[in-house]
Amino acid sequence: MTSRHDVVIVGGGIVGCGAAFHLTRAGAKVLLVEQGDPNRRASGQNAGSMHFQLEHRLLEHGGERSAEFAQIIPLSLAAMEDWRGLEALLAADLEVVMHGGLMVAESDDDVALLEFKHAIESKWALPTSLLTGDEARRQATYLGPRVRAAGWCEHEGHANPRLVGPAYLRAALEQGLELATHTEVRGLERRGDEWHLRLATLDDAGHRVQEVTTRNVLNAAGAWMAEVARLAHLHLPVFAVPLQMNVTARSAPLIGHLVQHVSRRLSIKQVHDGNVLIGGGWPARFARDRDGGVDFAARPLPVAAHVRGNLGVAADVIPAVRELSWLRTWTGTVAVTSDQLPLLGEVPEAPGFFVAGGGSTFTLGPTCARLISRLILEGRSPLPIDLYSPARFSHINGFMASAG
Amino acid sequence: MTSPGAPAAVTGLAIVGGGPAGMAAARLAVDHGADVTVIDEQPRVGGQILRQPPRGVEVTDWLPGAVYRNVRRTLAEIENDPSVDWRLRSSAVALLPQGNGHGVELWLDTPEGLQAVHAQTVLLAPGCHEQPLHFPGWTLPGVMGAGALQSFVKSQQLVPGRRFVLSGSHPLQLVVAEQLLRAGAEIAAVAFTQRPWAGLRLLATPMVALRAHRQLSAAAAAMWHLRAAGVPVLFGHSVVRARGEESVSAAVVAPVDADGHPDLRRAREFECDRIGVCHGFRVSSELARQAGARVAWSTRRGGWLVAHDAWYRSSVDRLHVAGEITGMAGADAALEEGRIAALGALRQIGAIDAAGAEALAGPVRRRLARLHRFADVLTRLSAPPGNLAAHLADDETLLCRCENVSVASFDRAVDDNAFIVTADAAKLLTRAGMGLCQGRLCGEQVARRLERRRGLATGAAGALHVNLPVRPVRLGAAVGDED
Ligand SMILES: Cc1cc2nc3c(=O)[nH]c(=O)nc-3n(C[C@H](O)[C@H](O)[C@H](O)COP(=O)(O)OP(=O)(O)OC[C@H]3O[C@@H](n4cnc5c(N)ncnc54)[C@H](O)[C@@H]3O)c2cc1C
Ligand SMILES: Cc1cc2nc3c(=O)[nH]c(=O)nc-3n(C[C@H](O)[C@H](O)[C@H](O)COP(=O)(O)OP(=O)(O)OC[C@H]3O[C@@H](n4cnc5c(N)ncnc54)[C@H](O)[C@@H]3O)c2cc1C
């Protein structure tokens, strides 16, 4: 490993691998450091939904807050374009399907929420429309009788999260990326206009520690972004949220769209191989150690009631799923920011320290990766991203940064 | 009856698996006043070795012979005990340790739907399953495990085919061949991968009084019967391909060397409609792994064995283990391990004091030590050649039959993605091991192929992570059926 780089990327998820692709494509000298296997955390464990309609989690806190969350829409609009071109860009089959998505409503309150959501989306030019229950059932014959109305967005769909990160990574490696897996970033220090990183590699020989130097650091550590920032004496309001997901055994084609629920936690779709993925943001819980303490490093544990709850909503909306086999439930950890908007930009208190992530960064991953790369390379993003800049949290770094 | 999410039924000791280990543990725990629940997915207890006929089915002469004496006695002592809460036809599909002495929640897939049981402590005794062999044609209907063939004969006196070829490295196949022959089948051939002298040399090991080993003497007796009946018993050979259109019509058998490399020029074909593969067993540690218990790899003793202490406690709080999942050692050893694990669990729930447990465990430990020495010889005697599967599989051979992943496509993915070094990451990329069986059948080959291509040591690619449920469950049953 050479020790001087233009950019060191911390984290080998979709954001880190995507940025590695764009940066090396432009000829930058890049090192990507991943503490485990690439694409094994949230980016390989997520549901693969590309959802652009405002999600349940953004709506559940009511009017004013929801209007703030609508600031995500410009990024969503860019993401639609990025996904449409991604398979060609990477010359890889990623199982990208954009056959449209429905956000269903069951009750009167749901229908009102759907209308409210639609009004905000229209204001921000997100192309969605409203369907009655019958219109929705004509479009999606598998929907059950409880569906009273639905929001429709023709650009929604899904891709295979198992394939996207590795495809970016393969292409980046061909373009000269240096990759260090099973290597953890343990220290981050700014000296002059360079960053010095301490890396610890765990291999058969034990622990190897080394130092590398770079002009720029990209913190793409997902749910661990706050920890990585803290190594540089910075605080980011990013919180690790354990989530769980379910999948059925493969079955004949049944569900042709991405289906979500406007007031209950549900996202459901059938993937290329025939499995039906059922999720929607149901929390898991952090693992416990032998003494009953909490173990943040271990895989989170699924919550029984939430498996039942999640499968139950699915069966309410699409009754035919009752006949499928529930094959597996798994958990992963996602990063959520304090205002639910992504973090994308340079930390003003720490020149050369960039962050990208937070929220639904599978949907927005390709876009975040592309924009942050341009910002690092050219000093500006082709799309205004000030709304997502870590500058909005500068107040909490007043104490920290000067000590670094 | 409750379902996950609702308050669970409560028990003192939940035993998963009603085989020798589970039955012996249940007897001892009930005798000490514990509340015991026994969970088994079969309609009757007894485990693999007894594989009882269903109630109401009369089978004359069911399992005669000294091999089964101890386990049959234990079965008789427990099967009709009404103080046990029997949960039969019920699969344990998830174990959720609650930590810090709060016990374990189990999810059971039962004929009445998914149910939860909350146990103060759990004993896992789910036994083992047969190890498949990935050779060209292994997924054709008619290729089966020798043990699966045996269970038809055992439980129903049914001959599941007409003409059989058995191939493997485990002496069990001699017993199975003989049972099939007695039940009226034709045996075309029995092929052993070992050369005869390799086994004989071990048999001469002075430290073990092998003549006393009932399983080996049963195998030796079976061999004489087979030879007397004119059945060819070939040493240093293996099935290398199954032929057939819809199902098996012939087995191609060839000599193999000590690494498992076949000599195809000297291959022979045996017409048959069933091939029984008998390369020994892999322990069923998936529930233990799902619950987070520490495991360690042993090729010879059965794969990912659950690590345990002298009382058969696993690394997970309130999770005890016994029987084959701690290492293949046979039914008699499983009985004794079940007893020690039960004492450990009784200590944990305060039903016996340390001195009492120690006093009872003493003689059991002595018997067990002797049985483990026998088992060690048997596992060494029956080890297949190290790289047999790697040598036999060709490009089209399916590595993962659940997800239709061929050897060639797996190898290509591994070569194209040099950054993949763990079995789990390989599974995520290729889907091999992601299907209905959760990698029970292919997980080992996924790891071995990856390790060979990367030049890693055996076991270095790690175990596949096991998610709940460990068996698929009808979704309607999981959410509660509507009336
Ligand atoms: C169950 C689940 C379902 C989801 N469903 C969806 C969905 O349908 N649609 C959607 O858009 N989003 C979904 N998400 C969210 C989405 O998966 C994540 O937002 C996205 O994958 C984050 O990508 P990332 O690259 O930022 O982070 P990650 O994929 O988590 O990657 C971060 C990497 O950083 C590494 N790392 C951390 N600290 C260090 C260190 N100190 N040194 C070196 N490496 C380090 C980690 O090992 C990890 O590999 C879901 C998430 C979960 C958990
Ligand atoms: C096909 C076959 C043939 C064998 N023949 C012999 C032989 O001839 N002689 C010999 O000494 N050994 C034999 N063995 C090895 C044999 O398994 C052990 O010797 C002995 O039966 C082990 O006892 P056990 O209690 O550990 O497990 P088992 O006897 O295997 O009992 C385990 C029980 O657990 C149940 N179970 C497993 N998982 C679950 C779950 N998730 N939920 C609910 N129930 C579950 C199973 O239905 C089974 O009844 C054989 C093994 C197999 C697989």
Side-chain angles (χ1 to χ4, degrees), chain A residues 122-197:
Chain A
S122 305
K123 199 166 127 215
W124 287 78
L126 184 77
T128 61
S129 55
L130 284 174
L131 307 178
T132 65
D134 286 338
E135 284 166 348
R137 268 180 294 277
R138 263 199 298 284
Q139 179 97 298
T141 50
Y142 48 84
L143 291 175
R146 297 172 65 142
V147 172
R148 298 257 318 272
W152 166 253
C153 173
E154 63 176 333
H155 302 283
E156 287 187 322
H158 47 90
N160 191 334
R162 300 183 297 106
L163 305 180
V164 181
Y168 269 130
L169 193 53
R170 278 196 306 274
L173 286 165
E174 272 169 30
Q175 292 163 177
L177 173 74
E178 280 188 64
L179 173 67
T181 64
H182 297 269
T183 301
E184 189 186 327
V185 175
R186 291 270 179 83
L188 266 167
E189 199 184 330
R190 193 174 142 81
R191 291 190 217 133
D193 57 0
E194 284 196 320
W195 288 91
H196 296 255
L197 281 78

Side-chain angles (χ1 to χ4, degrees), chain B residues 251-292:
Chain B
V252 182
V253 174
V256 289
D257 67 16
D259 193 50
H261 205 286
D263 180 355
L264 295 177
R265 287 162 313 170
R266 288 162 60 211
R268 287 198 256 168
E269 237 175 273
F270 292 93
E271 182 263 310
C272 63
D273 63 344
R274 292 289 182 275
I275 298 174
V277 176
C278 196
H279 280 290
F281 306 96
R282 285 297 174 240
V283 305
S284 301
S285 53
E286 62 274 5
L287 264 177
R289 281 151 62 196
Q290 179 269 310

